[in-house]
Amino acid sequence: MRPADADERRGPEQPCGRPPSPPSPPSPERAAARRDVAALQREHVRAHLRARRKLLEVASLLDELQSEVDASAEGVLGPGQRAGGEAEERVLRLCEKRSGRPPRPR
């Protein structure tokens, strides 16, 4: 096995033994392409935020509707009553009439 720093001593490999070419000056086409990509990324983020805002608005409206439905259901039943409360009371009365004593609690 070679020591771990053996690759570091050799330095970076050159393709085909040629010296590295100097960096090319930035071209206007590449700069324009970078600006286009950045603009597309910004628009993508904005579209995501718009969609999220609409979803939150719809969720808020649904919460409002649910609270209105709950309030109207409570108003119809009266405070402290349940939807099945009337049937339960009727069953208890019938059991009392039938046996002369109240049914066992559950």
Side-chain angles (χ1 to χ4, degrees):
M1 284 174 71
R2 302 185 314 186
D5 59 316
D7 291 332
E8 293 175 9
R9 278 188 256 139
R10 284 193 311 180
E13 292 185 24
Q14 301 299 321
C16 303
R18 287 187 269 155
S21 60
S24 60
S27 69
E29 293 85 17
R30 281 192 174 177
R34 277 193 209 102
R35 284 192 302 270
D36 290 344
V37 167
L40 287 173
Q41 288 174 338
R42 284 191 303 271
E43 182 56 34
H44 177 75
V45 169
R46 287 183 191 127
H48 174 75
L49 292 175
R50 278 192 304 269
R52 184 171 173 82
R53 203 174 312 126
K54 284 188 181 199
L55 284 173
L56 290 173
E57 185 179 340
V58 167
S60 173
L61 289 173
L62 286 173
D63 287 343
E64 279 183 42
L65 287 173
Q66 183 65 43
S67 63
E68 287 179 19
V69 166
D70 291 345
S72 67
E74 187 175 313
V76 168
L77 295 176
Q81 286 186 338
R82 297 189 317 249
E86 294 172 5
E88 190 174 330
E89 289 174 14
R90 186 171 177 213
V91 167
L92 290 174
R93 276 188 268 130
L94 289 173
C95 288
E96 287 175 11
K97 285 182 185 178
R98 176 81 177 162
S99 64
R101 59 184 171 165
R104 291 180 289 176
R106 295 180 186 174

